[in-house]
Amino acid sequence: MRFGVNYTPRVNWWHAWLDFQPAEIARDFEQIAALGLDHVRIFPVWTYFQPDRLHVRPQAIDDLLRMVGLAGEAGLDVQVDGIQGHLSSFDFYPPWTQTWHRRNVFTDPDVIAGQTLLLRTIGEAIRDRPNVIGMTVGNEMNNLVEHNPVTAAEVDDWVEAMLAALDDALPEKLRCHSAYDAAWYTDGHPFTPQTSARKGMLTTVHPWVFSNSCAIRYGPLSTATTHLAEYAVELAKAYAVGPGREVWVQEVGAPEGHIPPEDAPEFAARIIANAVTCEDVFGITWWCSHDVDRSMADFPMLEYSLGLIDSSGKTKPIGESVAAAVRELRATKPTPVHRDTALLFDGGGVDSRAASGPGGAFFESWMRYAESGTRLAIVLADRAEEGGYLEARGITRLLRP
Amino acid sequence: MRFGVNYTPRVNWWHAWLDFQPAEIARDFEQIAALGLDHVRIFPVWTYFQPDRLHVRPQAIDDLLRMVGLAGEAGLDVQVDGIQGHLSSFDFYPPWTQTWHRRNVFTDPDVIAGQTLLLRTIGEAIRDRPNVIGMTVGNEMNNLVEHNPVTAAEVDDWVEAMLAALDDALPEKLRCHSAYDAAWYTDGHPFTPQTSARKGMLTTVHPWVFSNSCAIRYGPLSTATTHLAEYAVELAKAYAVGPGREVWVQEVGAPEGHIPPEDAPEFAARIIANAVTCEDVFGITWWCSHDVDRSMADFPMLEYSLGLIDSSGKTKPIGESVAAAVRELRATKPTPVHRDTALLFDGGGVDSRAASGPGGAFFESWMRYAESGTRLAIVLADRAEEGGYLEARGITRLLRP
């Protein structure tokens, strides 16, 4: 199982692409590797990589390759997210997609051609690098839905087009996509659980404890909060077509205002320990490596302090806690628990998601079992009768919420 | 009188900031200087210079200084437009002004503080350079009105705040602002003629022959089209508080689809020759130096071919024509004609502008005099009775349209 971190450059955050400083990045990677982590997830910024629809900057690709190389020198593997798109509350729209050139970034054929050009160009550049894990289409592109209205069918077409570009560009590497939690918990949201759980080579989940105010609602060290990643993995497995599809806890973190700093180390240890009890976990990637320097403006308050390492370069207590958890997990190599008992979720349609999110009846029922020490799988009700399905998943007992 | 060109880098257009190549820029400037031009107007791109509201990139400022230096080595002076903002149909909004961070770029106090930081930082960096003419607030920022609703009073406050930043930053240099023609010709547009003609150290005009379809309506070599810059200067002088305020024909060009390429050299010669008959013309700055390479996407068709030099680096017939016109004007040093007869414009309020634009009654009346060889000044009707006003302007005769 992989343990890594979402990289946030200590100097200039992801605006670092504009003033590429290899020495700063090398130092950041050495610090990350020193925590015992094995990979970083990194984020090209769309407006900096592709200022013109037909041109991906060769220098940007060179800088990306340099970053991949520096990670390799530090002993880190790399997952590259193609289209940003969205990062930490900021959207990055190239000028050829907005205002006078306004076009829907999910449905406009020229924009889609531009996006696939970006993905292919990055993918072909990095595919032979041994320390590249693969590519994600982009970070939580469903944050762009608000300003680019789109149907679920259109999202599926878009995700398939993006994944096809990745399939062409780096067929030997991991190809996946990602979405923020509205995909799982918000009725009507056009990115669906099915899209997350059935497209790409594995399912990514981003179980943020601020989703539906989970940590505030239940408490920072509550069962619901500390089992949220475990739950997200099991929910993702329920939506998958069949058994065995891997799930990547690609973002998990301890946002201030939701997790008090004094509880953060304990929270981190517990949410990781619970998540690794699931089968088929590809890895856990903490958000994020470095705090955002307070001299940078306009980030939401919680985004400044999500790092394992502070903005002066000092490892924080939560960094020590994550490092210790990872060290222990690497030493003990715990075996995931096979879950032969599943909670039946009478949902799975586009408009039944709210029940499965924090605050929802199904979510709370699952968490009551977790509270009593029972680790449950999840089965969608409409699949329970499907011939061979339960057997394939090794589920012998069904509970109703 | 100054003759120059709006610089459009031959390689990568203004995305050139992302991959700063001094040798390419030096070569462009040498070509421009070889046409006999004495200055360039250059355009920092907001998203590349100020990715974070509180940080103007030192490297971007260094690149800008390098560009100013390269211009100097070629014998060219430089006008720097601070905020782009808008260029050739593309808007450049930093992520901290849009979507999830959406704020009005004319009225939000934090955005205004960010803009003044940008202007001050650029201004202080360049103010001691001998070949710097000065700064324009930004290029045609009124193109941003469509997506940032604003009143005329708010525009005035904004322009004053921006000019105050320039006054502080480079008090010894020229400080002005600019707007596209809606300011002069479109009723209700919140950038007003008064704002253009009364704020900053001089008035800039951008008499584009596609405004109100001027060239299509009257013909590419018609009186209206070839006198459009002259007319714009006289209209600007009418809106000024007093006599003697300079007017800069800061953008004028020969857009294909409006001026056929075969007419472009003649058009250029005539519109320049007519404009220099006006008194108090600061200079004429052609749009633009270099064609946009056809491999770049999404520019409006007419934007590709506005250069004096094509995208392979070859001077075009219109480039030869502008060079010849400038050479002759520098040799003969023609004296502007004092206009003692003015056409009375019964307007000047916010909602009387349409009459003074191409297609409007006042515009056409002025052009009928021009057709017969009479070069008229313009006087706003509500100022004609003002004690001493006509005397100060040296106007002895008033005509009614």
Side-chain angles (χ1 to χ4, degrees):
Chain A
M1 197 183 309
R2 291 179 164 279
F3 298 102
V5 72
N6 289 277
Y7 178 44
T8 42
R10 180 157 87 81
V11 175
N12 291 336
W13 187 66
W14 280 109
H15 304 308
W17 294 117
L18 291 173
D19 295 287
F20 194 75
Q21 299 185 68
E24 296 286 352
I25 292 160
R27 189 207 49 202
D28 291 348
F29 284 162
E30 280 159 26
Q31 289 190 300
I32 291 166
L35 295 178
L37 300 168
D38 59 56
H39 71 273
V40 287
R41 184 170 165 233
I42 67 174
F43 304 97
V45 170
W46 198 8
T47 45
Y48 306 153
F49 271 63
Q50 193 174 22
D52 184 273
R53 182 166 56 82
L54 298 180
H55 291 283
V56 179
R57 290 173 53 232
Q59 184 61 52
I61 297 295
D62 285 352
D63 292 341
L64 174 63
L65 285 171
R66 185 80 191 272
M67 190 178 284
V68 168
L70 292 169
E73 287 168 28
L76 296 169
D77 290 339
V78 180
Q79 176 79 357
V80 180
D81 275 42
I83 306 168
Q84 279 65 236
H86 185 89
L87 282 174
S88 300
S89 86
F90 293 103
D91 286 346
F92 295 91
Y93 287 97
W96 46 273
T97 66
Q98 56 168 309
T99 58
W100 305 105
H101 293 266
R102 183 157 187 79
R103 292 186 275 205
N104 189 297
V105 299
F106 297 114
T107 60
D108 181 90
D110 284 341
V111 174
I112 290 171
Q115 292 166 327
T116 56
L117 173 66
L118 176 63
L119 293 179
R120 276 202 314 274
T121 306
I122 293 175
E124 290 170 4
I126 64 174
R127 68 175 166 198
D128 294 327
R129 295 297 183 106
N131 69 318
V132 164
I133 299 169
M135 284 183 70
T136 314
V137 167
N139 179 48
E140 298 189 354
M141 284 288 282
N142 59 331
N143 275 290
L144 277 56
V145 164
E146 173 78 13
H147 305 100
N148 296 269
V150 60
T151 67
E154 289 166 340
V155 166
D156 278 358
D157 289 344
W158 179 82
V159 170
E160 281 172 14
M162 297 303 112
L163 286 168
L166 296 184
D167 292 347
D168 287 346
L170 67 179
E172 311 288 321
K173 303 285 192 180
L174 175 66
R175 289 97 60 199
C176 60
H177 65 105
S178 79
Y180 83 96
D181 273 338
W184 302 99
Y185 302 148
T186 303
D187 289 343
H189 186 75
F191 278 69
T192 67
Q194 288 80 2
T195 303
S196 284
R198 298 175 187 181
K199 296 185 193 299
M201 291 168 63
L202 53 65
T203 304
T204 65
V205 295
H206 294 189
W208 280 100
V209 301
F210 50 64
S211 293
N212 295 9
S213 300
C214 181
I216 289 170
R217 188 189 297 261
Y218 301 109
L221 296 176
S222 65
T223 299
T225 303
T226 60
H227 288 251
L228 186 67
E230 174 194 351
Y231 172 81
V233 171
E234 291 302 323
L235 189 65
K237 291 167 74 69
Y239 278 103
V241 174
R245 178 176 164 102
E246 287 186 306
V247 182
W248 181 355
V249 182
Q250 199 183 34
E251 293 185 16
V252 62
E256 220 173 304
H258 299 262
I259 308 291
E262 62 272 22
D263 290 334
E266 177 67 17
F267 160 78
R270 287 206 222 166
I271 199 166
I272 291 171
N274 286 322
V276 300
T277 66
C278 300
E279 293 175 296
D280 306 313
V281 173
F282 171 81
I284 299 177
T285 310
W286 200 261
W287 188 289
C288 57
S289 68
H290 292 77
D291 282 353
V292 176
D293 195 285
R294 299 266 169 189
S295 73
M296 300 193 75
D298 301 329
F299 287 79
M301 201 48 72
L302 66 84
E303 296 281 352
Y304 285 98
S305 53
L306 287 165
L308 300 179
I309 301 161
D310 73 17
S311 60
S312 75
K314 191 164 170 296
T315 299
K316 295 159 62 180
I318 190 173
E320 304 291 1
S321 176
V322 168
V326 169
R327 209 160 39 231
E328 190 183 321
L329 286 166
R330 291 201 200 282
T332 59
K333 296 197 199 320
T335 317
V337 185
H338 175 67
R339 296 166 192 238
D340 57 8
T341 304
L343 195 63
L344 212 55
F345 178 35
D346 195 17
V350 183
D351 293 321
S352 59
R353 283 174 271 182
S356 67
F362 178 82
F363 177 90
E364 296 195 344
S365 176
W366 192 94
M367 288 297 172
R368 279 193 296 275
Y369 284 98
E371 179 78 30
S372 70
T374 310
R375 297 194 187 273
L376 296 180
I378 299 172
V379 164
L380 303 186
D382 62 359
R383 303 207 62 191
E385 308 290 307
E386 199 178 294
Y389 176 77
L390 295 177
E391 293 74 4
R393 289 193 62 192
I395 290 170
T396 55
R397 187 169 163 235
L398 291 174
L399 302 177
R400 299 208 159 262
Chain B
M1 197 185 306
R2 292 179 164 279
F3 298 101
V5 73
N6 289 278
Y7 177 44
T8 42
R10 181 158 85 82
V11 175
N12 292 336
W13 187 66
W14 280 109
H15 304 308
W17 294 117
L18 291 173
D19 296 286
F20 194 75
Q21 300 185 68
E24 296 287 351
I25 292 160
R27 188 207 50 202
D28 291 348
F29 285 162
E30 280 158 26
Q31 287 190 299
I32 292 166
L35 295 178
L37 301 168
D38 60 55
H39 71 272
V40 287
R41 183 170 165 233
I42 68 174
F43 304 97
V45 170
W46 198 7
T47 46
Y48 305 153
F49 272 63
Q50 193 174 23
D52 184 274
R53 181 165 56 81
L54 298 179
H55 291 283
V56 179
R57 291 172 53 231
Q59 184 61 51
I61 297 295
D62 285 353
D63 292 341
L64 174 63
L65 285 170
R66 185 80 192 273
M67 190 177 284
V68 168
L70 292 168
E73 287 167 28
L76 296 169
D77 290 339
V78 180
Q79 176 79 357
V80 180
D81 275 43
I83 306 167
Q84 279 66 236
H86 185 90
L87 283 173
S88 299
S89 86
F90 293 104
D91 286 345
F92 296 91
Y93 286 98
W96 46 272
T97 66
Q98 57 167 311
T99 59
W100 305 104
H101 293 266
R102 182 155 187 79
R103 292 185 275 204
N104 189 297
V105 300
F106 297 115
T107 60
D108 182 89
D110 285 340
V111 174
I112 290 171
Q115 292 166 326
T116 56
L117 172 66
L118 176 62
L119 294 178
R120 275 202 316 274
T121 306
I122 293 175
E124 289 170 4
I126 65 174
R127 68 176 168 199
D128 294 328
R129 296 296 184 107
N131 69 318
V132 164
I133 300 168
M135 284 184 69
T136 314
V137 167
N139 178 50
E140 298 189 353
M141 284 288 282
N142 59 331
N143 275 291
L144 276 57
V145 164
E146 173 78 12
H147 304 99
N148 295 270
V150 61
T151 67
E154 288 167 339
V155 166
D156 278 358
D157 289 345
W158 179 82
V159 169
E160 281 172 14
M162 298 302 112
L163 286 168
L166 296 184
D167 292 346
D168 287 346
L170 66 178
E172 311 288 322
K173 303 284 191 180
L174 175 66
R175 288 98 59 199
C176 59
H177 65 104
S178 81
Y180 84 97
D181 273 339
W184 303 99
Y185 303 147
T186 304
D187 290 343
H189 186 76
F191 279 68
T192 66
Q194 288 80 2
T195 303
S196 284
R198 298 176 187 180
K199 295 186 192 299
M201 291 168 62
L202 54 65
T203 304
T204 64
V205 293
H206 294 189
W208 280 100
V209 300
F210 51 63
S211 294
N212 295 11
S213 299
C214 180
I216 289 171
R217 188 188 297 263
Y218 301 110
L221 296 177
S222 65
T223 299
T225 302
T226 60
H227 288 252
L228 186 66
E230 173 195 352
Y231 172 81
V233 171
E234 291 301 325
L235 188 65
K237 292 167 73 70
Y239 279 103
V241 174
R245 179 177 164 100
E246 287 187 306
V247 182
W248 181 356
V249 182
Q250 199 183 34
E251 293 186 16
V252 62
E256 220 174 304
H258 299 263
I259 307 290
E262 62 273 22
D263 290 333
E266 176 67 17
F267 160 77
R270 287 207 221 165
I271 198 165
I272 291 171
N274 286 322
V276 299
T277 66
C278 300
E279 293 175 296
D280 307 314
V281 173
F282 171 81
I284 299 177
T285 310
W286 200 262
W287 189 287
C288 57
S289 67
H290 292 76
D291 282 353
V292 176
D293 195 285
R294 298 265 168 189
S295 73
M296 299 193 76
D298 301 329
F299 287 79
M301 202 48 71
L302 67 84
E303 296 281 353
Y304 285 98
S305 53
L306 287 165
L308 300 179
I309 301 161
D310 73 17
S311 61
S312 76
K314 190 164 172 297
T315 299
K316 295 159 62 180
I318 191 173
E320 304 292 0
S321 175
V322 168
V326 168
R327 209 159 39 232
E328 188 182 322
L329 286 166
R330 290 200 200 283
T332 58
K333 296 195 198 320
T335 318
V337 185
H338 175 67
R339 297 167 192 237
D340 57 9
T341 304
L343 195 63
L344 212 56
F345 179 35
D346 195 17
V350 184
D351 293 322
S352 59
R353 283 174 271 181
S356 66
F362 178 81
F363 176 90
E364 295 195 344
S365 176
W366 191 93
M367 288 298 173
R368 278 192 296 274
Y369 284 98
E371 180 78 31
S372 69
T374 311
R375 297 193 186 274
L376 296 180
I378 300 172
V379 164
L380 302 186
D382 63 358
R383 304 206 64 190
E385 308 290 306
E386 198 178 296
Y389 175 76
L390 295 178
E391 292 76 1
R393 288 193 63 192
I395 290 169
T396 55
R397 187 169 163 236
L398 290 174
L399 303 176
R400 299 208 160 262

